[in-house]
Amino acid sequence: MTWFESFVLGLVQGLTEFLPISSSAHLRLTAAFAGWHDPGAAFTAITQIGTEAAVIIYFRKDIARIISTWARSLVNRDLRHDHDAQLGWLVIVGSIPIGVLGITLKDAIAGPFRDLRLIATTLIVMGIVLGIADRLAARDETGGRHRAVQQRKSLTDLNIKDGLLYGICQAMALIPGVSRSGATISGGLLMGYTRESAARYSFLLAIPAVVASGAYELKDAGQGHVAWGPTIFATAIAFIVGYAVIAWFMKFISHKSFMPFVIYRILLGIALFALVGAGVLSADAGESAG
């Protein structure tokens, strides 16, 4: 991997990680369209540490409060009913599904799951799911001619069942094209949470999973065509760009619909199917060269 490739891929990672359009799919597609080697699952996991560092800094006050309250609640029974202490446990519970499936499906994640036809399918299917979830949220928020405005849930309403369902949604993102934020936000909206609450918990829930995944993949970094230097460079680029994107996205979702992302996902999936079907792209483009 050249330094230019690592710059572009780091830029793509930072731009797409927090948007519901799948960063892993876009890293895979960028390499395929450019005729580069597939950067691979290890490169993807490690560069995601950069974007998660942006999450940690952006939500640093929330994270510090949650960790502090959760840790103190281990010895202080009075704090165990505190929302922040409970949120700490819910993040742990929600991280279990992706941890178990990530280890179980490791070979599939690095191989078959990176097929461009599967990515096209997940882009379209999850785009439709996000569209339905967004439409339901909009209907509750605005009401209608024969429907009153419905109060949606906030993070204070989060319980173990919902936390586990969020975790299952997050685990779906092990398949490129699903999108970690897209799956968890869609799940949150379908469970009745506000857009902001769904996104906030999605980002907090991703921290343990992404950091653990990146640390696990460190052993494979620097092997093959992806050297340590370009990987670290891409991770730094992802951090800088990711911080700017998350700040914009949290403001965007407070008053905007997810429909632009829904349309983009569906059109990209259709275009990808057409390109693979026409022979312009091979379903495993770039893999053999890696």
Side-chain angles (χ1 to χ4, degrees), residues 52-165:
E52 287 313 304
V55 172
I56 292 172
I57 292 177
Y58 186 85
F59 291 111
R60 60 189 179 279
K61 293 181 179 178
D62 291 350
I63 294 171
R65 189 181 65 251
I66 291 169
I67 293 176
S68 173
T69 307
W70 174 82
R72 286 184 290 122
S73 74
L74 296 177
V75 294
N76 186 342
R77 289 180 176 271
D78 294 337
L79 289 175
R80 293 178 186 178
H81 297 291
D82 187 281
H83 170 65
D84 288 326
Q86 293 175 343
L87 195 55
W89 283 114
L90 290 170
V91 169
I92 294 173
V93 169
S95 300
I96 294 174
I98 197 171
V100 173
L101 291 176
I103 295 174
T104 305
L105 301 176
K106 184 179 185 301
D107 292 338
I109 294 168
F113 282 3
R114 301 183 74 78
D115 187 296
L116 295 184
R117 293 164 297 189
L118 178 59
I119 291 176
T121 301
T122 53
L123 282 169
I124 295 171
V125 172
M126 286 306 302
I128 294 172
V129 171
L130 178 61
I132 294 172
D134 184 68
R135 180 60 180 167
L136 291 174
R139 188 179 65 177
D140 286 348
E141 292 166 358
T142 60
R145 184 175 181 181
H146 303 292
R147 182 182 175 87
V149 173
Q150 298 292 315
Q151 182 67 38
R152 298 210 123 219
K153 294 188 285 187
S154 68
L155 285 186
T156 56
D157 300 306
L158 193 64
N159 53 39
I160 293 178
K161 183 192 75 173
D162 288 356
L164 191 57
L165 287 174

Side-chain angles (χ1 to χ4, degrees), residues 23 68 73 144 173 179 201 219 234 278:
S23 62
S68 173
S73 74
S179 169
Y201 185 63
K219 66 182 189 309

Side-chain angles (χ1 to χ4, degrees), residues 181-203:
S181 63
T184 50
I185 290 174
S186 295
L189 294 178
L190 291 173
M191 286 187 282
Y193 288 88
T194 64
R195 288 186 177 91
E196 185 176 2
S197 295
R200 184 174 291 268
Y201 185 63
S202 170
F203 294 154

